[in-house]
Amino acid sequence: MPTPMPSPADPTPTPTPTPTPDDARAALDKERARTLTRIEAMTTEFDEIVAGSVDSNADDEHDPEGSTIAFERAQVAALLQEARYHLEELDLAAARLEAGTYWTCARCGGPIAAARLAARPAAQTCISCAAAAAPPP
């Protein structure tokens, strides 16, 4: 007799298998490569914005057509800073992997769920600690 399929309303989640160190390293390397590509693209975009505004004498602060060059430059700079910070987090996660503490919450010392690490390879805390540290909505 065939095994019945779980119903969509079944609240029992399918457990995520615990990744091996090689799996974790591959996930970190993949995320690091994506982040480096993002940094490169945003650096190019930032440089183009700056270069485009050097020879311009436009009064973009009073342009009714849209955002200012200064706003665009600040927005890209903030995104670039965020990507660089994420790269640092990934490097810290790689160091924790080498030290054998990758699956351990830095705050409470408990385990970090495999599903959390699959979604956020640079996560340093378990879901409970991350929720406790998050500002209220």
Side-chain angles (χ1 to χ4, degrees):
M1 177 183 261
T3 305
M5 296 292 292
S7 76
D10 183 4
T12 308
T14 304
T16 304
T18 302
T20 66
D22 288 341
D23 294 336
R25 170 58 67 191
L28 287 169
D29 288 348
K30 182 178 179 182
E31 183 67 18
R32 192 173 199 288
R34 284 182 16 177
T35 302
L36 285 170
T37 299
R38 230 172 63 216
I39 288 171
E40 183 179 336
M42 284 189 285
T43 300
T44 299
E45 184 177 351
F46 182 83
D47 292 346
E48 289 171 356
I49 291 170
V50 171
S53 67
V54 168
D55 295 329
S56 174
N57 63 355
D59 181 13
D60 75 330
E61 295 299 322
H62 299 95
D63 183 3
E65 296 299 317
S67 63
T68 65
I69 293 172
F71 172 80
E72 289 177 15
R73 185 177 56 236
Q75 185 177 33
V76 172
L79 291 171
L80 186 55
Q81 181 180 8
E82 182 181 291
R84 287 179 176 147
Y85 178 74
H86 185 60
L87 185 63
E88 290 175 15
E89 288 180 318
L90 290 167
D91 290 342
L92 288 172
R96 288 192 334 271
L97 181 63
E98 293 300 317
T101 59
Y102 181 70
W103 293 273
T104 304
C105 178
R107 187 169 179 200
C108 72
I112 300 175
R116 177 161 170 75
L117 290 170
R120 297 186 51 130
Q124 296 182 38
T125 58
C126 65
I127 292 173
S128 297
C129 289

